[in-house]
PDB file of all heavy atoms in Angstrom:
ATOM      1  N   MET A  64      48.455  47.698-103.345  1.00 51.00           N
ATOM      2  CA  MET A  64      49.550  47.358-102.459  1.00 51.00           C
ATOM      3  C   MET A  64      49.023  47.179-101.042  1.00 51.00           C
ATOM      4  O   MET A  64      48.208  47.945-100.563  1.00 51.00           O
ATOM      5  CB  MET A  64      50.588  48.485-102.507  1.00 51.00           C
ATOM      6  CG  MET A  64      51.798  48.205-101.679  1.00 51.00           C
ATOM      7  SD  MET A  64      53.097  49.385-102.058  1.00 51.00           S
ATOM      8  CE  MET A  64      53.469  49.950-100.432  1.00 51.00           C
ATOM      9  N   THR A  72      45.803  46.219 -86.132  1.00 75.00           N
ATOM     10  CA  THR A  72      46.653  45.028 -86.137  1.00 75.00           C
ATOM     11  C   THR A  72      47.828  45.271 -85.215  1.00 75.00           C
ATOM     12  O   THR A  72      48.429  46.338 -85.227  1.00 75.00           O
ATOM     13  CB  THR A  72      47.176  44.734 -87.562  1.00 75.00           C
ATOM     14  OG1 THR A  72      46.066  44.585 -88.433  1.00 75.00           O
ATOM     15  CG2 THR A  72      48.009  43.477 -87.596  1.00 75.00           C
ATOM     16  N   PHE A  79      56.382  43.276 -90.939  1.00 82.00           N
ATOM     17  CA  PHE A  79      57.264  44.346 -90.485  1.00 82.00           C
ATOM     18  C   PHE A  79      57.716  44.085 -89.052  1.00 82.00           C
ATOM     19  O   PHE A  79      58.896  44.165 -88.725  1.00 82.00           O
ATOM     20  CB  PHE A  79      56.533  45.688 -90.594  1.00 82.00           C
ATOM     21  CG  PHE A  79      57.362  46.880 -90.209  1.00 82.00           C
ATOM     22  CD1 PHE A  79      58.368  47.344 -91.043  1.00 82.00           C
ATOM     23  CD2 PHE A  79      57.129  47.541 -89.018  1.00 82.00           C
ATOM     24  CE1 PHE A  79      59.136  48.453 -90.698  1.00 82.00           C
ATOM     25  CE2 PHE A  79      57.881  48.649 -88.658  1.00 82.00           C
ATOM     26  CZ  PHE A  79      58.884  49.097 -89.503  1.00 82.00           C
ATOM     27  N   LYS A  91      72.968  43.240 -83.302  1.00 95.00           N
ATOM     28  CA  LYS A  91      72.677  42.243 -84.336  1.00 95.00           C
ATOM     29  C   LYS A  91      73.043  42.723 -85.734  1.00 95.00           C
ATOM     30  O   LYS A  91      73.680  42.000 -86.502  1.00 95.00           O
ATOM     31  CB  LYS A  91      71.208  41.819 -84.287  1.00 95.00           C
ATOM     32  CG  LYS A  91      70.883  40.967 -83.088  1.00 95.00           C
ATOM     33  CD  LYS A  91      69.433  40.539 -83.107  1.00 95.00           C
ATOM     34  CE  LYS A  91      69.107  39.710 -81.880  1.00 95.00           C
ATOM     35  NZ  LYS A  91      67.699  39.294 -81.872  1.00 95.00           N
ATOM     36  N   LEU A  98      80.183  40.269 -90.553  1.00 95.00           N
ATOM     37  CA  LEU A  98      80.267  38.963 -91.221  1.00 95.00           C
ATOM     38  C   LEU A  98      80.076  39.080 -92.726  1.00 95.00           C
ATOM     39  O   LEU A  98      80.606  38.268 -93.483  1.00 95.00           O
ATOM     40  CB  LEU A  98      79.236  37.994 -90.634  1.00 95.00           C
ATOM     41  CG  LEU A  98      79.527  37.516 -89.216  1.00 95.00           C
ATOM     42  CD1 LEU A  98      78.354  36.713 -88.677  1.00 95.00           C
ATOM     43  CD2 LEU A  98      80.805  36.699 -89.158  1.00 95.00           C
ATOM     44  N   LYS A 102      84.618  39.875 -93.074  1.00 87.00           N
ATOM     45  CA  LYS A 102      85.137  38.517 -93.006  1.00 87.00           C
ATOM     46  C   LYS A 102      83.962  37.570 -92.891  1.00 87.00           C
ATOM     47  O   LYS A 102      83.181  37.657 -91.951  1.00 87.00           O
ATOM     48  CB  LYS A 102      86.059  38.398 -91.786  1.00 87.00           C
ATOM     49  CG  LYS A 102      87.039  37.280 -91.853  1.00 87.00           C
ATOM     50  CD  LYS A 102      88.058  37.424 -90.741  1.00 87.00           C
ATOM     51  CE  LYS A 102      88.987  36.230 -90.784  1.00 87.00           C
ATOM     52  NZ  LYS A 102      89.864  36.197 -89.628  1.00 87.00           N
ATOM     53  N   ARG A 106      85.656  34.209 -85.554  1.00 94.00           N
ATOM     54  CA  ARG A 106      85.601  33.576 -84.245  1.00 94.00           C
ATOM     55  C   ARG A 106      85.071  34.601 -83.238  1.00 94.00           C
ATOM     56  O   ARG A 106      85.021  35.792 -83.505  1.00 94.00           O
ATOM     57  CB  ARG A 106      86.979  33.063 -83.863  1.00 94.00           C
ATOM     58  CG  ARG A 106      87.405  31.940 -84.820  1.00 94.00           C
ATOM     59  CD  ARG A 106      88.734  31.385 -84.519  1.00 94.00           C
ATOM     60  NE  ARG A 106      88.703  30.679 -83.235  1.00 94.00           N
ATOM     61  CZ  ARG A 106      89.775  30.130 -82.697  1.00 94.00           C
ATOM     62  NH1 ARG A 106      90.931  30.184 -83.306  1.00 94.00           N
ATOM     63  NH2 ARG A 106      89.689  29.522 -81.530  1.00 94.00           N
ATOM     64  N   LEU A 110      85.053  38.817 -83.388  1.00 94.00           N
ATOM     65  CA  LEU A 110      83.836  39.638 -83.373  1.00 94.00           C
ATOM     66  C   LEU A 110      83.888  40.642 -82.226  1.00 94.00           C
ATOM     67  O   LEU A 110      83.585  41.817 -82.411  1.00 94.00           O
ATOM     68  CB  LEU A 110      82.594  38.764 -83.246  1.00 94.00           C
ATOM     69  CG  LEU A 110      82.087  38.110 -84.515  1.00 94.00           C
ATOM     70  CD1 LEU A 110      81.068  37.019 -84.200  1.00 94.00           C
ATOM     71  CD2 LEU A 110      81.478  39.146 -85.439  1.00 94.00           C
ATOM     72  N   THR A 121      77.034  39.852 -73.353  1.00 96.00           N
ATOM     73  CA  THR A 121      76.132  40.434 -74.347  1.00 96.00           C
ATOM     74  C   THR A 121      76.368  39.817 -75.722  1.00 96.00           C
ATOM     75  O   THR A 121      75.414  39.442 -76.415  1.00 96.00           O
ATOM     76  CB  THR A 121      76.302  41.961 -74.412  1.00 96.00           C
ATOM     77  OG1 THR A 121      75.988  42.512 -73.131  1.00 96.00           O
ATOM     78  CG2 THR A 121      75.409  42.583 -75.462  1.00 96.00           C
ATOM     79  N   LYS A 127      73.649  33.718 -79.593  1.00 97.00           N
ATOM     80  CA  LYS A 127      72.694  32.628 -79.344  1.00 97.00           C
ATOM     81  C   LYS A 127      71.328  32.959 -79.936  1.00 97.00           C
ATOM     82  O   LYS A 127      70.681  32.104 -80.542  1.00 97.00           O
ATOM     83  CB  LYS A 127      72.568  32.351 -77.847  1.00 97.00           C
ATOM     84  CG  LYS A 127      73.752  31.613 -77.275  1.00 97.00           C
ATOM     85  CD  LYS A 127      73.633  31.445 -75.776  1.00 97.00           C
ATOM     86  CE  LYS A 127      74.906  30.844 -75.214  1.00 97.00           C
ATOM     87  NZ  LYS A 127      74.890  30.791 -73.750  1.00 97.00           N
ATOM     88  N   ILE A 143      91.059  21.024 -78.628  1.00 87.00           N
ATOM     89  CA  ILE A 143      91.453  21.741 -77.421  1.00 87.00           C
ATOM     90  C   ILE A 143      92.571  22.691 -77.811  1.00 87.00           C
ATOM     91  O   ILE A 143      93.575  22.251 -78.369  1.00 87.00           O
ATOM     92  CB  ILE A 143      91.904  20.766 -76.326  1.00 87.00           C
ATOM     93  CG1 ILE A 143      90.738  19.850 -75.962  1.00 87.00           C
ATOM     94  CG2 ILE A 143      92.433  21.522 -75.124  1.00 87.00           C
ATOM     95  CD1 ILE A 143      91.076  18.782 -74.962  1.00 87.00           C
ATOM     96  N   PRO A 144      92.451  23.989 -77.553  1.00 85.00           N
ATOM     97  CA  PRO A 144      91.279  24.658 -76.985  1.00 85.00           C
ATOM     98  C   PRO A 144      90.123  24.676 -77.981  1.00 85.00           C
ATOM     99  O   PRO A 144      90.335  24.539 -79.181  1.00 85.00           O
ATOM    100  CB  PRO A 144      91.784  26.068 -76.701  1.00 85.00           C
ATOM    101  CG  PRO A 144      92.874  26.290 -77.691  1.00 85.00           C
ATOM    102  CD  PRO A 144      93.511  24.945 -77.906  1.00 85.00           C
ATOM    103  N   LEU A 162      69.957  45.942 -94.925  1.00 91.00           N
ATOM    104  CA  LEU A 162      71.000  46.701 -94.224  1.00 91.00           C
ATOM    105  C   LEU A 162      71.691  47.664 -95.177  1.00 91.00           C
ATOM    106  O   LEU A 162      72.025  48.794 -94.798  1.00 91.00           O
ATOM    107  CB  LEU A 162      72.021  45.755 -93.596  1.00 91.00           C
ATOM    108  CG  LEU A 162      71.497  44.758 -92.557  1.00 91.00           C
ATOM    109  CD1 LEU A 162      72.645  43.945 -91.973  1.00 91.00           C
ATOM    110  CD2 LEU A 162      70.718  45.439 -91.467  1.00 91.00           C
ATOM    111  N   TRP A 168      70.526  55.079 -97.074  1.00 90.00           N
ATOM    112  CA  TRP A 168      69.623  56.115 -96.591  1.00 90.00           C
ATOM    113  C   TRP A 168      70.347  57.008 -95.587  1.00 90.00           C
ATOM    114  O   TRP A 168      70.252  58.233 -95.638  1.00 90.00           O
ATOM    115  CB  TRP A 168      68.392  55.479 -95.940  1.00 90.00           C
ATOM    116  CG  TRP A 168      67.367  56.496 -95.559  1.00 90.00           C
ATOM    117  CD1 TRP A 168      66.317  56.921 -96.307  1.00 90.00           C
ATOM    118  CD2 TRP A 168      67.307  57.235 -94.317  1.00 90.00           C
ATOM    119  NE1 TRP A 168      65.608  57.884 -95.611  1.00 90.00           N
ATOM    120  CE2 TRP A 168      66.195  58.089 -94.394  1.00 90.00           C
ATOM    121  CE3 TRP A 168      68.083  57.251 -93.174  1.00 90.00           C
ATOM    122  CZ2 TRP A 168      65.839  58.948 -93.369  1.00 90.00           C
ATOM    123  CZ3 TRP A 168      67.741  58.109 -92.134  1.00 90.00           C
ATOM    124  CH2 TRP A 168      66.620  58.946 -92.239  1.00 90.00           C
TER     125      TRP A 168
END
Side-chain angles (χ1 to χ4, degrees):
M64 183 168 128
T72 303
F79 183 73
K91 289 182 181 179
L98 289 173
K102 202 169 177 189
R106 295 180 67 183
L110 279 166
T121 299
K127 285 176 186 174
I143 298 176
L162 300 183
W168 186 92

